[in-house]
Short mmCIF file of all heavy atoms in Angstrom, two decimals:
data_model
loop_
_atom_site.label_atom_id
_atom_site.label_comp_id
_atom_site.label_asym_id
_atom_site.label_seq_id
_atom_site.Cartn_x
_atom_site.Cartn_y
_atom_site.Cartn_z
N GLY A 30 22.59 16.34 3.22
CA GLY A 30 23.23 15.04 3.03
C GLY A 30 23.85 14.49 4.30
O GLY A 30 23.98 13.27 4.46
N SER A 31 24.21 15.37 5.25
CA SER A 31 24.82 14.92 6.49
C SER A 31 23.83 14.18 7.38
O SER A 31 24.22 13.51 8.34
CB SER A 31 25.41 16.11 7.25
OG SER A 31 24.38 17.02 7.64
N LEU A 32 22.53 14.32 7.07
CA LEU A 32 21.50 13.64 7.85
C LEU A 32 21.06 12.31 7.23
O LEU A 32 20.30 11.58 7.85
CB LEU A 32 20.27 14.55 7.99
CG LEU A 32 20.42 15.80 8.86
CD1 LEU A 32 19.15 16.64 8.79
CD2 LEU A 32 20.74 15.43 10.30
N LYS A 33 21.53 12.03 6.05
CA LYS A 33 21.04 10.86 5.32
C LYS A 33 21.30 9.58 6.12
O LYS A 33 22.38 9.35 6.65
CB LYS A 33 21.71 10.77 3.95
CG LYS A 33 20.99 9.82 2.99
CD LYS A 33 21.53 9.96 1.59
CE LYS A 33 20.77 9.08 0.61
NZ LYS A 33 19.36 9.46 0.49
N ASN A 34 20.25 8.76 6.23
CA ASN A 34 20.30 7.46 6.90
C ASN A 34 20.53 7.53 8.41
O ASN A 34 20.86 6.51 9.03
CB ASN A 34 21.37 6.55 6.26
CG ASN A 34 21.13 6.30 4.79
OD1 ASN A 34 19.99 6.12 4.36
ND2 ASN A 34 22.19 6.32 4.01
N LYS A 35 20.34 8.70 9.01
CA LYS A 35 20.54 8.84 10.45
C LYS A 35 19.31 8.33 11.21
O LYS A 35 18.19 8.35 10.72
CB LYS A 35 20.79 10.30 10.82
CG LYS A 35 22.03 10.91 10.19
CD LYS A 35 23.31 10.27 10.70
CE LYS A 35 24.53 10.98 10.15
NZ LYS A 35 25.79 10.34 10.58
N THR A 36 19.57 7.89 12.43
CA THR A 36 18.50 7.50 13.34
C THR A 36 18.33 8.59 14.38
O THR A 36 19.29 8.98 15.05
CB THR A 36 18.82 6.17 14.05
OG1 THR A 36 18.88 5.12 13.08
CG2 THR A 36 17.76 5.83 15.09
N ILE A 37 17.11 9.11 14.50
CA ILE A 37 16.82 10.20 15.43
C ILE A 37 15.72 9.76 16.39
O ILE A 37 14.63 9.37 15.96
CB ILE A 37 16.38 11.48 14.68
CG1 ILE A 37 17.47 11.93 13.72
CG2 ILE A 37 16.04 12.58 15.68
CD1 ILE A 37 17.10 13.15 12.90
N VAL A 38 16.03 9.80 17.67
CA VAL A 38 15.06 9.47 18.71
C VAL A 38 14.43 10.76 19.21
O VAL A 38 15.14 11.74 19.50
CB VAL A 38 15.73 8.73 19.89
CG1 VAL A 38 14.72 8.45 20.99
CG2 VAL A 38 16.36 7.44 19.41
N VAL A 39 13.12 10.80 19.30
CA VAL A 39 12.40 11.95 19.84
C VAL A 39 11.64 11.51 21.08
O VAL A 39 10.89 10.53 21.02
CB VAL A 39 11.43 12.56 18.80
CG1 VAL A 39 10.69 13.76 19.39
CG2 VAL A 39 12.18 12.97 17.54
N LEU A 40 11.87 12.19 22.19
CA LEU A 40 11.15 11.91 23.42
C LEU A 40 10.19 13.03 23.72
O LEU A 40 10.52 14.20 23.55
CB LEU A 40 12.13 11.77 24.60
CG LEU A 40 13.10 10.60 24.56
CD1 LEU A 40 14.51 11.12 24.32
CD2 LEU A 40 13.06 9.83 25.87
N GLY A 41 9.00 12.67 24.20
CA GLY A 41 8.05 13.71 24.56
C GLY A 41 6.82 13.15 25.24
O GLY A 41 6.45 12.00 25.01
N TYR A 42 6.20 13.97 26.07
CA TYR A 42 4.95 13.56 26.71
C TYR A 42 3.84 13.55 25.67
O TYR A 42 3.83 14.37 24.74
CB TYR A 42 4.62 14.50 27.88
CG TYR A 42 5.46 14.21 29.09
CD1 TYR A 42 6.64 14.91 29.31
CD2 TYR A 42 5.11 13.20 29.98
CE1 TYR A 42 7.45 14.62 30.40
CE2 TYR A 42 5.91 12.91 31.07
CZ TYR A 42 7.07 13.62 31.28
OH TYR A 42 7.87 13.31 32.36
N LYS A 43 2.91 12.64 25.85
CA LYS A 43 1.89 12.42 24.82
C LYS A 43 1.03 13.65 24.59
O LYS A 43 0.46 13.82 23.52
CB LYS A 43 1.02 11.22 25.19
CG LYS A 43 0.31 11.32 26.52
CD LYS A 43 -0.46 10.04 26.82
CE LYS A 43 -1.15 10.09 28.16
NZ LYS A 43 -1.92 8.86 28.44
N GLU A 44 0.93 14.54 25.60
CA GLU A 44 0.09 15.72 25.45
C GLU A 44 0.84 16.91 24.83
O GLU A 44 0.26 17.97 24.63
CB GLU A 44 -0.47 16.16 26.81
CG GLU A 44 -1.32 15.11 27.51
CD GLU A 44 -0.49 14.19 28.38
OE1 GLU A 44 0.75 14.24 28.29
OE2 GLU A 44 -1.07 13.41 29.16
N ASN A 45 2.14 16.75 24.56
CA ASN A 45 2.96 17.89 24.13
C ASN A 45 2.96 18.05 22.61
O ASN A 45 3.56 17.25 21.90
CB ASN A 45 4.39 17.73 24.64
CG ASN A 45 5.19 19.03 24.53
OD1 ASN A 45 4.82 19.93 23.79
ND2 ASN A 45 6.26 19.12 25.28
N PRO A 46 2.32 19.10 22.08
CA PRO A 46 2.27 19.28 20.62
C PRO A 46 3.61 19.65 20.02
O PRO A 46 3.80 19.49 18.81
CB PRO A 46 1.24 20.41 20.45
CG PRO A 46 1.29 21.17 21.74
CD PRO A 46 1.55 20.15 22.79
N LEU A 47 4.55 20.15 20.83
CA LEU A 47 5.88 20.48 20.31
C LEU A 47 6.57 19.22 19.79
O LEU A 47 7.24 19.23 18.76
CB LEU A 47 6.72 21.14 21.41
CG LEU A 47 8.16 21.50 21.03
CD1 LEU A 47 8.18 22.47 19.85
CD2 LEU A 47 8.88 22.09 22.23
N LYS A 48 6.40 18.12 20.51
CA LYS A 48 6.94 16.83 20.09
C LYS A 48 6.37 16.44 18.73
O LYS A 48 7.10 15.97 17.85
CB LYS A 48 6.62 15.78 21.14
CG LYS A 48 6.85 14.34 20.74
CD LYS A 48 5.93 13.41 21.48
CE LYS A 48 4.48 13.66 21.13
NZ LYS A 48 3.53 12.86 21.91
N GLU A 49 5.08 16.65 18.54
CA GLU A 49 4.45 16.30 17.27
C GLU A 49 5.00 17.16 16.14
O GLU A 49 5.24 16.66 15.03
CB GLU A 49 2.94 16.47 17.38
CG GLU A 49 2.28 15.51 18.35
CD GLU A 49 0.76 15.64 18.36
OE1 GLU A 49 0.24 16.52 17.63
OE2 GLU A 49 0.11 14.88 19.09
N ALA A 50 5.22 18.44 16.42
CA ALA A 50 5.75 19.34 15.39
C ALA A 50 7.13 18.88 14.92
O ALA A 50 7.44 18.93 13.72
CB ALA A 50 5.83 20.77 15.94
N ILE A 51 7.95 18.42 15.85
CA ILE A 51 9.28 17.92 15.49
C ILE A 51 9.18 16.65 14.66
O ILE A 51 9.86 16.50 13.63
CB ILE A 51 10.11 17.67 16.76
CG1 ILE A 51 10.41 19.01 17.45
CG2 ILE A 51 11.41 16.94 16.43
CD1 ILE A 51 11.03 18.86 18.83
N ILE A 52 8.31 15.74 15.07
CA ILE A 52 8.10 14.49 14.32
C ILE A 52 7.65 14.79 12.89
O ILE A 52 8.18 14.24 11.92
CB ILE A 52 7.07 13.59 15.02
CG1 ILE A 52 7.62 13.04 16.34
CG2 ILE A 52 6.62 12.46 14.11
CD1 ILE A 52 8.69 12.00 16.18
N PHE A 53 6.64 15.66 12.76
CA PHE A 53 6.13 15.99 11.42
C PHE A 53 7.22 16.61 10.55
O PHE A 53 7.33 16.33 9.36
CB PHE A 53 4.95 16.95 11.53
CG PHE A 53 3.75 16.35 12.21
CD1 PHE A 53 2.90 17.16 12.96
CD2 PHE A 53 3.47 15.00 12.11
CE1 PHE A 53 1.79 16.61 13.60
CE2 PHE A 53 2.36 14.46 12.75
CZ PHE A 53 1.53 15.26 13.50
N SER A 54 8.05 17.46 11.15
CA SER A 54 9.11 18.13 10.39
C SER A 54 10.15 17.14 9.91
O SER A 54 10.62 17.21 8.75
CB SER A 54 9.77 19.21 11.26
OG SER A 54 8.84 20.22 11.61
N LEU A 55 10.53 16.19 10.76
CA LEU A 55 11.52 15.19 10.37
C LEU A 55 10.98 14.26 9.29
O LEU A 55 11.69 13.94 8.32
CB LEU A 55 11.96 14.39 11.59
CG LEU A 55 12.77 15.16 12.65
CD1 LEU A 55 12.97 14.30 13.89
CD2 LEU A 55 14.10 15.62 12.08
N LEU A 56 9.73 13.84 9.43
CA LEU A 56 9.15 12.97 8.41
C LEU A 56 8.94 13.71 7.09
O LEU A 56 9.05 13.12 6.01
CB LEU A 56 7.82 12.40 8.91
CG LEU A 56 7.90 11.44 10.09
CD1 LEU A 56 6.52 10.97 10.51
CD2 LEU A 56 8.80 10.25 9.77
N SER A 57 8.67 15.00 7.19
CA SER A 57 8.54 15.81 5.98
C SER A 57 9.86 15.87 5.22
O SER A 57 9.88 15.90 3.98
CB SER A 57 8.06 17.22 6.34
OG SER A 57 7.95 18.03 5.19
N LEU A 58 10.99 15.87 5.96
CA LEU A 58 12.30 15.82 5.30
C LEU A 58 12.47 14.53 4.51
O LEU A 58 13.05 14.54 3.42
CB LEU A 58 13.41 15.93 6.35
CG LEU A 58 13.74 17.32 6.90
CD1 LEU A 58 14.85 17.21 7.95
CD2 LEU A 58 14.15 18.27 5.79
N ASN A 59 11.97 13.44 5.06
CA ASN A 59 12.03 12.19 4.30
C ASN A 59 11.21 12.27 3.02
O ASN A 59 11.61 11.77 1.97
CB ASN A 59 11.52 11.03 5.16
CG ASN A 59 12.61 10.43 6.03
OD1 ASN A 59 13.78 10.78 5.90
ND2 ASN A 59 12.23 9.52 6.91
N ASP A 60 10.04 12.92 3.12
CA ASP A 60 9.17 13.03 1.95
C ASP A 60 9.79 13.92 0.87
O ASP A 60 9.71 13.61 -0.32
CB ASP A 60 7.81 13.60 2.35
CG ASP A 60 7.00 12.62 3.19
OD1 ASP A 60 7.37 11.43 3.24
OD2 ASP A 60 6.00 13.06 3.80
N SER A 61 10.38 15.04 1.30
CA SER A 61 10.84 16.04 0.33
C SER A 61 12.30 15.84 -0.09
O SER A 61 12.67 16.12 -1.23
CB SER A 61 10.68 17.46 0.90
OG SER A 61 11.48 17.64 2.06
N ARG A 62 13.13 15.35 0.84
CA ARG A 62 14.57 15.24 0.57
C ARG A 62 15.06 13.80 0.45
O ARG A 62 16.24 13.59 0.16
CB ARG A 62 15.35 15.94 1.69
CG ARG A 62 15.13 17.46 1.74
CD ARG A 62 16.02 18.16 0.76
NE ARG A 62 15.79 19.60 0.74
CZ ARG A 62 16.57 20.46 0.07
NH1 ARG A 62 17.62 20.00 -0.59
NH2 ARG A 62 16.31 21.75 0.08
N ARG A 63 14.19 12.85 0.72
CA ARG A 63 14.54 11.43 0.62
C ARG A 63 15.80 11.12 1.43
O ARG A 63 16.76 10.51 0.92
CB ARG A 63 14.73 11.03 -0.85
CG ARG A 63 13.47 11.21 -1.66
CD ARG A 63 13.63 10.74 -3.08
NE ARG A 63 12.41 10.90 -3.85
CZ ARG A 63 12.28 10.58 -5.15
NH1 ARG A 63 13.30 10.06 -5.81
NH2 ARG A 63 11.14 10.77 -5.78
N LEU A 64 15.79 11.52 2.68
CA LEU A 64 16.96 11.35 3.54
C LEU A 64 17.01 9.98 4.20
O LEU A 64 18.01 9.62 4.82
CB LEU A 64 16.98 12.44 4.62
CG LEU A 64 17.16 13.88 4.12
CD1 LEU A 64 17.20 14.84 5.30
CD2 LEU A 64 18.42 14.00 3.28
N ASN A 65 15.91 9.24 4.13
CA ASN A 65 15.86 7.92 4.76
C ASN A 65 16.16 8.00 6.26
O ASN A 65 16.86 7.14 6.82
CB ASN A 65 16.82 6.94 4.07
CG ASN A 65 16.55 5.50 4.45
OD1 ASN A 65 15.40 5.10 4.62
ND2 ASN A 65 17.61 4.70 4.59
N LEU A 66 15.66 9.03 6.90
CA LEU A 66 15.79 9.14 8.35
C LEU A 66 14.96 8.06 9.03
O LEU A 66 13.84 7.78 8.61
CB LEU A 66 15.31 10.52 8.84
CG LEU A 66 16.15 11.74 8.46
CD1 LEU A 66 15.38 13.01 8.79
CD2 LEU A 66 17.48 11.72 9.18
N ASN A 67 15.52 7.47 10.06
CA ASN A 67 14.79 6.51 10.87
C ASN A 67 14.36 7.23 12.15
O ASN A 67 15.20 7.56 12.99
CB ASN A 67 15.68 5.31 11.19
CG ASN A 67 15.02 4.34 12.16
OD1 ASN A 67 13.80 4.26 12.24
ND2 ASN A 67 15.83 3.62 12.91
N ILE A 68 13.07 7.48 12.31
CA ILE A 68 12.56 8.24 13.44
C ILE A 68 11.98 7.27 14.47
O ILE A 68 11.14 6.42 14.14
CB ILE A 68 11.47 9.24 13.01
CG1 ILE A 68 11.95 10.08 11.81
CG2 ILE A 68 11.07 10.13 14.18
CD1 ILE A 68 13.22 10.84 12.06
N GLN A 69 12.42 7.42 15.70
CA GLN A 69 11.93 6.58 16.80
C GLN A 69 11.32 7.48 17.87
O GLN A 69 12.02 8.31 18.45
CB GLN A 69 13.08 5.74 17.38
CG GLN A 69 13.71 4.82 16.35
CD GLN A 69 14.95 4.13 16.87
OE1 GLN A 69 15.46 4.43 17.94
NE2 GLN A 69 15.47 3.17 16.10
N LEU A 70 10.03 7.34 18.08
CA LEU A 70 9.34 8.17 19.07
C LEU A 70 9.17 7.41 20.37
O LEU A 70 8.60 6.32 20.39
CB LEU A 70 7.97 8.60 18.54
CG LEU A 70 7.05 9.30 19.55
CD1 LEU A 70 7.68 10.61 20.05
CD2 LEU A 70 5.68 9.58 18.94
#
Side-chain angles (χ1 to χ4, degrees):
S31 64
L32 291 175
K33 196 169 183 64
N34 300 321
K35 299 294 185 183
T36 296
I37 301 178
V38 177
V39 180
L40 295 110
Y42 284 94
K43 58 183 179 179
E44 300 88 350
N45 194 341
L47 178 59
K48 167 208 64 185
E49 295 184 358
I51 293 171
I52 291 289
F53 295 148
S54 297
L55 292 172
L56 294 179
S57 179
L58 281 179
N59 274 353
D60 291 346
S61 63
R62 294 278 177 171
R63 299 183 179 179
L64 296 181
N65 195 36
L66 291 169
N67 174 26
I68 310 302
Q69 300 173 351
L70 171 62

